[in-house]
Every structure is written in structure tokens, then in C-alpha cells.
Amino acid sequence: MAITSTWEVNTLERSLSDGFVNKVIYRVKGLDDGTEKTRATGEVNFAKPSSLPSDFVAYDSLNESTVLGWVKTKLDADNAGTVAGIETNLTTEIVVINTPVTGAGKPWS
């Protein structure tokens, strides 16, 4: 059993005038041996500064890796350990899925 997490960008919300990304909706897939067992979704909001920073990346030049870097940095800045917490929660969910401790049903037809 190899449990991993895969981060993805679902969508971006941006200002049409300058391409500033003000919201990222992301998902994190919890995988067990490459099979998705669970997922978490969320969003991160970015406040637009009064002037664009010198390292501003034009919307058309963005890639998923860059945006996920922003997301993870913002999550950890807002709530220390959030990235690790999300991944830990997914791992815990997969362990419960693989080794359930409760069941539902009835013993007759």
C-alpha cells in the first residue's frame, strides 16, 4: 500500500484588466497505489496589491506548478502546517477505507 497525494488546480479566477489571479480553487487527490480513494478541495484568495510586483507572471505564462506553489505557500502562511494537515487527513481517510472499523447492513435478505 503506497499512499500518495496529488495536488491539482481546478480553476483560477482573475482580473480581466491585468490578469491578476485573485482566487485559486484546488483539489488534492488521495491515492493508494495510484488509485484515487478520496479527495479534498478548497480555495485560496489573493489580495491584489496597489501595484503589480516585479516578479508578476502574466496569466498566459502561468503553469500549474507555479500556481500550486502559491497555493501551498498561502495555505501554510495562513495556517501553519495546513498542507501537511490536508495530506495527513487524506492518508487517514484511506487507511479507514482500507481497514474499516464499522459496517452497515443487515444479516438477512
Side-chain angles (χ1 to χ4, degrees):
M1 173 172 72
I3 297 175
T4 57
S5 298
T6 301
W7 289 73
E8 300 174 343
V9 172
N10 189 357
T11 193
L12 306 174
E13 183 179 288
R14 70 187 188 286
S15 169
L16 293 177
S17 64
D18 58 15
F20 181 84
V21 174
N22 53 38
K23 182 190 293 186
V24 178
I25 300 173
Y26 66 89
R27 73 178 145 257
V28 188
K29 294 180 179 179
L31 308 171
D32 183 13
D33 288 332
T35 301
E36 183 180 344
K37 297 275 186 134
T38 188
R39 72 171 54 184
T41 58
E43 66 182 52
V44 173
N45 295 294
F46 299 97
K48 187 175 181 178
S50 56
S51 62
L52 295 177
S54 60
D55 62 349
F56 178 76
V57 179
Y59 178 78
D60 291 339
S61 298
L62 289 174
N63 59 49
E64 189 170 38
S65 177
T66 297
V67 175
L68 287 173
W70 297 346
V71 166
K72 290 178 178 182
T73 298
K74 178 79 167 150
L75 286 171
D76 279 343
D78 289 349
N79 300 302
T82 300
V83 170
I86 290 169
E87 293 177 347
T88 297
N89 288 343
L90 292 174
T91 297
T92 300
E93 288 178 27
I94 291 171
V95 169
V96 170
I97 289 168
N98 289 343
T99 55
V101 294
T102 62
K106 54 187 179 183
W108 61 89
S109 301

